[in-house]
């Protein structure tokens, strides 16, 4: 314990010296930048920050704080002058956030000198003297995989130009190159942070592909290299463990801007970027390998890579096997004739081709089950399908519908014109086959059905493939149900039981290696049932789904839709996987990487390698140990059942409060999010209709609460549930569960992280609001109770006591953006007044602009 405390103290010291002190030093460079009124801005901002802090402590309104500041420190207090200076403060703070990110990233290796060893290597060493352990490890290696899927959720605000500056700035800070830092800060000051218009899905894909090209391409290959070396040392065959997935351009759920053309364009773009990466590597290889005997294969590979990287008219096909064959010829010649000189460089490129093939990342297709039902209905009106189904098909029971399905391949003649969503689905089903032919099967082999509520949702989709150019024997598609709401999660196992027992689906799974992926969504389950119920529902669904799969001898992989913040499944993700237990399938880890999680955890090669390693270590450790999960013991399970239910009831009561939605609309920038030019996806489903909670996207819901600094979806109901157990005399049981269950402890730790990013002092003046004061007090009281009970449970005095560096990082970031929070509230306050159209636009723009910096600084706020 003393050693751990010392290690924590050392990390804190490193953080203060390497991050906080250097940030303050480099921040002073901003004062010398040759920008419009920068000196005035830089001089006034520290005074403004102090005014903000004091005003919040005194529970003053944003208007009172800002007006008092301008009265004391500026001569021009007209509305236009106030807005002008506030905009300059925002621009300055946005760049402070970037600088802090870069300083923190530059210190990553010093802060994370990992004491977590290579789990695979450690177990291989133990297996030398333990044959049963050795067999278990070999079987695990055969089955284990990690799939990271990049998604285009709109909380990744930096364009590629800014990301490149951050990368270069981080490198300069690592070596304290003041001249370069100064120049890069100048570049940063003159570089636009945001687009003037919303990006298209292809734009989003291009933006995220920056990470594939500059981070994952290297990080995943480096990790795979370590794995290969470990396996080779113990005479075991190499096994591809890491896979990459991609959603932009394929995810059309609720996004009418994604079309078949987008999907095709993105698949081509991924392929071209990958071959440019290969070509870049091969040129370096060619400069070193100047020996006799390799001229011909080098010439062949060079020609092929060049054409695939730069010739837009080339006929695309999957050439990964061809490349591996010729690269191996080069490697073997080097080993046989040139003492193996530079063979390691060739091996590195071979490894990358084995990892990324001709596709780079698998493009997932996703659509809502309700749309897919409409497509099935449309097809049933056409020949020859119309003769196969009864006219009252839609009103049949689920059992009767499944019996009516024929699974016959047919060439359908569509007579009536289809609406755009139906047309897109049919075209995409056809186009996926072409993508597989061009880039390989792994390029696009999964169709995810969101809002999946019944077995027929998947079986009907299979029929759609058979009616649109696919044959049953060559149906190289994995159908992935996505269960999201608390209700759907409870029904998930029964739905899969129906599918596994269905003869056609069973036959299909056998052809796909008896493997089934199932996606579980944290975001909608949290919005639906609150933080604890969402986590507990997903846990129980995983247990039931694993049992069902085992009964049918299916290898199950859970695909977790984890967002950035704990309320959307984020936080200390690897700890969840390490604590699953043998009752939950965990040989294949799959999760979405989205929003600020991409830049904060996978923004550099160092951080990406570290986080990938942590996930692999968690999977390997859990797979080898296969401990029983104590949450399934009656005493713990009953306790969590009751707590989750109490938390759920508390959260649902809040959702049903008549002021719930109007509070968010009035005090957060929720209604303005649709004007933010960061995403091709609408803020809500049913874009043209009135705002309803059920239509509101989980990401917008969470973002709105985080902007308020209240983070309700990340903790609400926890305090009520814990207090209830204490009053019932069960406190000792709760403490025992916390101490013994890694899973429950991670839920609590992540909840505390959410609360650390909350600051009710910012909105304390709401208590005086005649309409909303009592509602604000309901939120504040639950926050106070939750904080009190969580600290008591953990035996801590402060939130995140076990994570002092992360806690300090959050505190610094919150201090940087406090002025943005108050400027946002000030702008929203002004928008309640009678304004001219010009004034209204100015205040809306002011409020909108603050959103970017607040989310960027939070790193996993939305």
């Amino acid at each position: 314990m003393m050693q751990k405390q010392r290690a924590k103290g050392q990390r804190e010291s490193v953080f203060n010296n390497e991050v906080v002190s250097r940030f303050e030093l480099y921040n002073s460079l901003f004062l010398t930048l040759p920008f419009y009124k920068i000196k005035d801005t830089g001089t006034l901002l520290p005074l403004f920050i102090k005014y903000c802090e004091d005003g919040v402590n005194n529970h003053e309104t944003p208007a009172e704080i800002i007006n008092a500041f301008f009265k004391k420190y500026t001569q021009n207090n007209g509305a236009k002058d106030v807005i002008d200076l506030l905009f300059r403060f925002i621009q300055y703070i946005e760049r402070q956030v970037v600088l802090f990110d870069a300083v923190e990233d530059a210190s990553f290796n010093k802060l994370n000198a990992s004491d977590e060893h290579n789990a695979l290597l450690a177990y291989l060493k133990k297996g030398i003297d333990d044959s049963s352990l050795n067999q278990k490890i070999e079987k695990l290696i055969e089955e284990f995989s990690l799939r990271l899927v990049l998604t285009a959720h709109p909380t990744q605000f930096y364009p590629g130009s800014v990301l490149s500056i951050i990368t270069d700035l981080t490198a300069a800070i690592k070596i304290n190159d003041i001249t370069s830092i100064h120049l890069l800060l100048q570049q940063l000051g003159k570089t636009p942070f945001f687009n003037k218009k919303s990006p298209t899905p292809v734009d989003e894909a291009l933006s995220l592909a920056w990470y594939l090209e500059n981070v994952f391409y290297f990080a995943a290959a480096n990790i795979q290299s370590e794995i290969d070396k470990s396996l080779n040392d113990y005479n075991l065959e190499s096994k591809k463990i890491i896979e990459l997935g991609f959603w932009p351009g394929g995810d059309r759920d609720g996004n009418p801007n994604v079309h078949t053309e987008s999907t095709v364009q993105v698949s081509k773009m991924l392929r071209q970027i990958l071959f440019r990466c290969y070509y870049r590597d091969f040129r370096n290889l060619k400069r070193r390998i100047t020996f006799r005997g390799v001229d011909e294969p080098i010439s062949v590979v060079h020609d092929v890579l060049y054409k695939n990287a730069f010739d837009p008219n080339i006929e695309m096909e999957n050439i990964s096997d061809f490349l591996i064959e010729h690269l191996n010829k080069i490697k073997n010649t080097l080993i046989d004739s040139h003492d193996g000189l530079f063979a390691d460089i060739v091996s590195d490129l071979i490894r990358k081709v084995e990892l990324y093939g001709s596709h780079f990342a698998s493009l997932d297709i996703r659509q809502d089950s309700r749309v897919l039902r409409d497509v099935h209905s449309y097809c049933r009106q056409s020949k020859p399908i119309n003769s196969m189904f009864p006219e009252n098909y839609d009103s049949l029971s689920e059992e009767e519908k499944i019996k009516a399905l024929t699974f016959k391949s047919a060439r359908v003649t569509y007579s009536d014109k289809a609406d755009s969503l139906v047309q897109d689905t049919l075209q995409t089903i056809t186009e996926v086959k072409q993508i597989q032919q061009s880039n390989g099967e792994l390029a696009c082999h999964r169709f995810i059905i969101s809002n999946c509520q019944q077995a027929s949702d998947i079986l009907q989709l299979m029929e759609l493939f058979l009616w649109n150019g696919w044959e049953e024997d060559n149906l190289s598609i994995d159908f992935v149900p996505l269960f999201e709401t608390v209700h759907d999660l409870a029904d998930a196992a029964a739905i899969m039981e129906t599918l596994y027992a269905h003869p056609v689906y069973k036959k299909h799974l056998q052809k796909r290696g008896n493997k089934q992926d199932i996606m579980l969504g944290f975001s909608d389950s949290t919005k639906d049932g609150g933080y604890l119920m969402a986590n507990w529902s997903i846990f129980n669904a995983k247990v039931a789904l694993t049992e069902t799969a085992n009964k049918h001898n299916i290898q199950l992989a859970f695909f977790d839709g984890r967002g950035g913040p704990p309320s959307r499944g984020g936080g200390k993700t690897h700890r969840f996987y390490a604590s699953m237990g043998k009752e939950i399938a965990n040989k294949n880890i799959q999760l979405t990487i989205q929003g600020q999680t991409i830049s904060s955890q996978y923004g550099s090669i160092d951080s990406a390698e570290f986080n990938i390693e942590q996930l692999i270590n968690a999977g390997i450790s859990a797979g080898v140990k296969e401990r029983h999960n104590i949450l399934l013991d009656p005493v713990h399970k009953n306790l969590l059942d009751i707590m989750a239910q109490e938390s759920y009831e508390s959260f649902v009561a809040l959702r049903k409060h008549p002021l719930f939605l109007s509070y968010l609309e009035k005090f957060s920038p929720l209604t303005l999010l649709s004007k933010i030019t960061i995403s091709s996806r609408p803020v809500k489903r049913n874009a043209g209709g009135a705002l309803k909670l059920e239509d509101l996207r989980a990401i917008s819901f969470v973002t709105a609460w985080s902007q308020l600094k209240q983070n309700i979806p990340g903790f609400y109901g926890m305090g009520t549930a814990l207090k209830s157990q204490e009053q019932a005399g069960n406190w000792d049981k709760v403490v025992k569960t916390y101490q013994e269950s890694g899973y429950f402890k991670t839920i609590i730790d992540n909840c505390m992280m959410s609360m650390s990013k909350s600051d009710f002092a910012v909105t304390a003046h709401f208590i005086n609001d005649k309409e909303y004061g009592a509602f604000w007090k309901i939120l504040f009281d639950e926050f106070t109770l939750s904080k009190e009970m969580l600290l008591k449970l953990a035996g801590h005095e402060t939130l995140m006591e076990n994570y002092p560096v992360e806690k300090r990082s959050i505190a610094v970031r919150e201090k940087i953006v406090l002025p943005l929070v108050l400027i946002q509230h000030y702008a929203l306050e002004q928008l309640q007044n009678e304004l001219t159209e010009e004034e209204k636009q100015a205040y809306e723009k002011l409020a909108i602009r603050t959103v970017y910096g607040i989310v960027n600084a939070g790193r996993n706020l939305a």
Side-chain angles (χ1 to χ4, degrees):
M1 181 59 76
M2 281 298 292
Q3 197 171 358
K4 278 193 174 181
Q5 287 297 117
R6 200 176 297 120
K8 276 185 196 170
Q10 285 172 350
R11 281 192 81 221
E12 277 185 275
S13 177
V14 169
F15 186 83
N16 287 328
N17 293 330
E18 294 288 332
V19 180
V20 179
S21 298
R22 291 169 91 186
F23 168 70
E24 289 168 356
L25 171 67
Y26 299 137
N27 191 33
S28 64
L29 289 175
F30 272 118
L31 293 174
T32 65
L33 297 181
F35 302 138
Y36 172 66
K37 294 187 177 178
I38 188 74
K39 197 125 192 168
D40 290 347
T41 310
T43 305
L44 288 172
L45 184 57
L47 298 170
F48 184 58
I49 290 171
K50 183 75 169 68
Y51 248 70
C52 289
E53 289 172 347
D54 292 344
V56 165
N57 289 336
N58 295 328
H59 298 172
E60 295 170 15
T61 69
E64 288 169 344
I65 295 167
I66 288 171
N67 291 337
F69 170 80
F70 273 87
K71 188 175 179 182
K72 183 167 183 179
Y73 291 107
T74 68
Q75 294 174 338
N76 304 317
N77 295 333
K80 199 164 184 188
D81 297 312
V82 170
I83 289 172
D84 178 55
L85 183 56
L86 292 179
F87 261 116
R88 281 189 276 131
F89 281 161
I90 291 169
Q91 290 173 319
Y92 194 103
I93 292 166
E94 284 168 349
R95 283 151 179 82
Q96 282 184 318
V97 171
V98 169
L99 177 60
F100 191 79
D101 283 351
V103 173
E104 202 167 39
D105 289 345
S107 308
F108 187 87
N109 285 339
K110 290 180 182 176
L111 284 168
N112 297 284
S114 179
D115 54 1
E116 287 192 37
H117 52 266
N118 180 326
L120 176 60
L121 191 56
Y123 283 117
L124 286 168
K125 284 177 182 174
K126 286 180 188 174
I128 294 172
D129 302 317
D130 186 339
S131 59
S132 63
L133 176 62
N134 193 46
Q135 285 175 356
K136 187 182 268 192
I137 294 163
E138 286 192 35
K139 190 170 188 302
L140 178 62
I141 290 164
E142 206 176 296
E143 296 175 345
F144 183 77
S145 66
L146 167 68
R147 179 184 287 225
L148 300 173
V149 182
L150 275 66
T151 72
H153 285 1
T155 55
Q156 175 45 260
F157 296 150
Y158 298 134
S161 55
V162 174
L163 290 170
S164 297
I165 296 170
I166 294 173
T167 301
D168 295 342
L169 187 57
T170 302
I173 290 170
K174 273 185 179 178
I175 57 173
N176 201 28
D177 181 352
I178 297 292
T179 305
S180 295
I181 292 167
H182 192 260
L183 286 168
L184 288 162
L185 289 177
Q186 287 189 56
Q187 184 186 358
L188 192 67
K190 288 181 176 289
T191 302
F193 268 41
F194 317 108
N195 305 309
K196 287 191 174 177
K197 59 179 185 175
S198 295
T200 67
V202 177
D203 293 334
E204 288 175 328
L206 194 57
S207 178
L208 275 190
W210 186 93
Y211 290 96
L212 286 178
E213 181 180 1
N214 295 286
V215 178
F216 286 97
Y217 178 75
F218 299 103
N222 291 347
I223 299 282
Q224 187 65 50
S225 174
E226 287 180 24
I227 291 165
D228 290 348
K229 186 177 182 306
S230 297
L231 294 175
N232 187 54
D233 287 347
Y234 289 86
N235 296 317
L236 293 173
E237 210 173 303
S238 174
K239 163 71 166 58
K240 174 184 168 182
I241 282 182
I242 304 166
E243 301 167 0
L244 299 177
F246 205 71
W247 272 22
D251 178 16
R252 57 245 304 131
D253 176 21
N255 190 348
N257 299 309
V258 178
H259 306 295
T260 309
E261 189 183 337
S262 318
T263 305
V264 173
Q265 274 186 269
V266 171
S267 71
K268 288 178 178 176
M269 180 200 74
L270 288 173
R271 188 182 195 280
Q272 187 172 46
I273 289 173
L274 174 63
F275 277 98
R276 287 181 181 176
C277 289
Y278 287 161
Y279 182 71
R280 178 181 59 198
D281 278 4
F282 190 76
R283 283 188 65 185
N284 292 332
L285 179 154
K286 193 178 171 185
R287 286 176 66 187
R288 293 286 164 267
I289 302 172
T290 51
F291 320 133
R292 294 185 186 282
V294 289
D295 303 28
E296 188 187 343
I298 279 188
S299 176
V300 168
V301 173
H302 180 274
D303 188 48
V304 167
L305 288 178
Y306 182 84
K307 283 179 179 171
N308 279 273
F310 301 107
D311 184 353
N313 300 314
I314 192 170
E315 188 177 330
M316 294 187 299
E317 57 181 324
N318 180 15
I319 58 168
S320 52
D321 288 344
F322 174 88
L323 287 173
I324 290 168
E325 179 191 339
H326 282 76
L327 287 169
N328 270 317
K329 282 182 185 176
I330 298 169
K331 180 182 169 182
N332 292 335
T333 303
L334 294 178
I335 292 169
D336 295 341
S337 308
H338 302 287
D339 303 318
L341 192 59
F342 300 128
D344 56 328
I345 303 177
V346 187
S347 293
D348 179 63
L349 185 52
I350 291 170
R351 186 178 297 111
K352 285 168 179 167
V353 178
E354 287 172 343
L355 277 175
Y356 312 124
S358 294
H359 63 282
F360 215 158
S362 292
L363 186 59
D364 287 342
I365 308 297
R366 183 172 77 134
Q367 185 54 283
D368 189 280
S369 62
R370 289 162 290 196
V371 173
L372 297 174
R373 286 173 210 153
D374 289 343
V375 180
H376 195 264
S377 177
Y378 167 78
C379 291
R380 292 198 312 270
Q381 314 308 315
S382 306
K383 293 180 180 179
I385 313 276
N386 55 358
S387 62
M388 300 181 190
F389 291 89
E391 285 187 21
N392 66 337
Y393 176 85
D394 284 325
S395 60
L396 296 177
S397 69
E398 170 71 352
E399 196 177 341
E400 288 170 329
K401 276 184 184 172
I402 291 173
K403 278 184 184 173
L405 299 174
T406 61
F407 300 97
K408 289 183 179 175
S409 294
R411 289 194 175 276
V412 184
T413 307
Y414 299 115
S415 48
D416 299 333
K417 191 170 177 3
D419 72 31
S420 57
L421 284 175
V422 171
Q423 193 66 40
D424 172 70
T425 303
L426 295 175
Q427 286 175 351
T428 301
I429 286 172
T430 304
E431 203 60 53
V432 166
K433 182 180 274 192
Q434 183 55 51
I435 293 172
Q436 288 192 358
Q437 287 170 0
S438 300
N439 297 10
E441 184 184 310
L442 290 177
C444 191
H445 66 98
R446 300 203 304 186
F447 200 119
I448 298 163
I449 302 98
S450 51
N451 193 40
C452 187
Q453 297 178 324
Q454 51 208 22
S456 59
D457 285 334
I458 291 200
L459 296 173
Q460 286 179 176
L461 180 58
M462 283 185 72
E463 281 205 318
L464 291 179
F465 271 79
L466 297 177
W467 297 341
N468 290 278
W470 294 75
E471 299 292 330
E472 188 182 338
D473 289 338
N474 297 306
L475 189 51
S476 51
I477 296 290
D478 298 310
F479 299 96
V480 183
L482 167 51
F483 301 110
E484 300 179 82
T485 66
V486 171
H487 180 267
D488 291 347
L489 287 164
D491 290 345
I495 291 170
M496 296 313 297
E497 173 67 43
T498 302
L499 284 169
Y500 295 148
H502 191 279
V504 175
Y505 193 74
K506 187 176 182 180
K507 186 179 172 188
H508 175 70
L509 278 187
Q510 285 170 348
K511 287 177 186 160
R512 303 297 293 162
N514 270 339
K515 294 178 180 178
Q516 174 69 57
D517 295 355
I518 295 177
M519 188 173 181
L520 302 172
F522 280 79
S523 303
D524 282 293
S525 52
T526 304
K527 178 176 155 250
D528 180 46
Y531 177 72
L532 183 57
M533 178 56 97
N535 277 284
W536 188 235
S537 296
I538 287 169
F539 176 86
N540 284 322
K542 284 188 172 184
V543 172
L545 286 163
T546 301
E547 188 179 348
T548 306
N550 289 343
K551 189 173 90 176
H552 290 272
N553 198 28
I554 302 296
Q555 187 179 331
L556 180 58
F558 288 117
F559 176 23
D560 290 316
R562 292 180 173 275
S567 57
R568 291 178 53 235
K572 301 283 181 184
T573 304
H574 65 283
R575 296 187 188 276
F576 276 110
Y577 290 114
S579 61
M580 286 297 179
K582 64 183 180 182
E583 292 83 4
I584 292 175
N586 58 5
K587 301 290 194 300
N588 309 97
I589 295 176
Q590 301 185 15
L591 67 156
T592 54
I593 309 293
Q594 54 191 265
Q596 288 309 104
T597 310
I598 298 173
S599 57
S600 63
Q601 295 185 10
Y602 300 90
S604 69
I605 295 170
D606 290 341
S607 60
E609 284 184 20
F610 177 82
N611 284 293
I612 291 170
E613 277 175 356
Q614 284 204 311
L615 287 168
I616 291 173
N617 283 350
I620 295 286
S621 300
V624 170
K625 290 175 185 172
E626 287 191 317
R627 291 177 180 147
H628 164 66
N629 196 309
I630 61 118
L631 289 184
L632 294 170
D633 294 341
V635 63
H636 299 297
K637 187 176 187 318
N638 292 341
L639 191 70
L640 263 294
D641 281 341
I642 294 166
M643 283 177 61
Q645 187 60 34
E646 288 171 338
S647 172
Y648 175 72
E649 287 167 6
S650 172
F651 185 77
V652 169
L654 180 72
R655 274 185 41 157
K656 288 181 177 176
H657 194 288
L659 296 180
F660 183 80
L661 202 53
S662 62
Y663 176 86
L664 264 187
E665 285 184 282
K666 181 175 180 179
F667 294 115
S668 83
L670 178 62
T671 54
L672 299 175
L673 292 180
S674 60
K675 298 184 179 182
I676 294 179
T677 56
I678 56 163
S679 173
S680 68
R681 184 188 295 273
V683 169
K684 63 187 182 75
R685 294 175 173 88
N686 186 25
L691 183 63
K692 294 179 189 171
L693 190 58
E694 57 269 25
D695 290 334
L696 189 60
R697 293 195 164 282
I699 193 168
S700 309
F701 180 70
V702 171
T703 299
W705 285 112
S706 69
Q707 295 288 309
L708 272 165
K709 290 295 162 194
Q710 292 177 355
N711 288 340
I712 294 301
F715 73 85
Y716 199 91
M718 287 293 292
T720 296
L722 288 167
K723 188 67 178 176
S724 173
Q725 288 308 301
E726 183 186 50
Q727 291 170 342
N730 292 331
W731 188 249
D732 288 346
K733 290 180 185 174
V734 178
V735 172
K736 193 168 187 288
T737 304
Y738 173 78
Q739 290 171 343
E740 292 182 359
S741 168
Y743 192 88
F744 184 51
K745 190 174 188 302
T746 305
I747 289 173
I748 299 297
D749 284 352
N750 281 344
C751 186
M752 288 204 236
M753 185 200 291
S754 252
M755 297 181 76
S756 294
K757 295 183 180 184
S758 303
D759 185 0
F760 275 80
V762 171
T763 52
H765 61 279
F766 287 8
I767 194 74
N768 301 317
D769 189 286
K770 288 179 183 176
E771 187 178 0
Y772 293 96
F775 182 78
W776 179 87
K777 192 170 185 311
I778 291 171
L779 305 177
F780 179 63
D781 287 348
E782 181 63 23
F783 176 84
T784 306
L785 178 63
S786 296
K787 183 176 178 181
E788 175 195 331
M789 299 310 296
L790 288 169
L791 291 176
K792 184 176 180 180
L793 177 61
H796 294 167
E797 292 182 11
T798 59
L799 294 171
M800 292 188 73
E801 198 173 290
N802 272 359
Y803 305 101
V805 168
E806 289 85 347
K807 179 183 174 181
R808 180 89 169 98
S809 176
I810 289 169
V812 174
R813 289 169 178 279
E814 293 300 315
K815 182 174 180 175
I816 292 170
V817 297
L818 178 62
L820 295 186
V821 177
L822 291 175
I823 291 169
Q824 182 184 106
H825 286 301
Y826 168 75
L828 292 172
E829 274 181 36
Q830 298 305 309
L831 285 166
Q832 305 296 320
N833 302 327
E834 287 290 326
L835 301 170
T836 66
E837 187 58 32
E838 187 182 353
E839 287 172 331
K840 184 186 172 196
Q841 285 183 9
Y843 284 118
E844 279 190 356
K845 191 177 174 187
L846 196 63
I848 287 167
R849 189 60 182 270
T850 60
V851 172
Y852 299 99
I854 295 169
V855 173
N856 284 339
R859 285 207 152 185
N860 69 350
L861 270 180

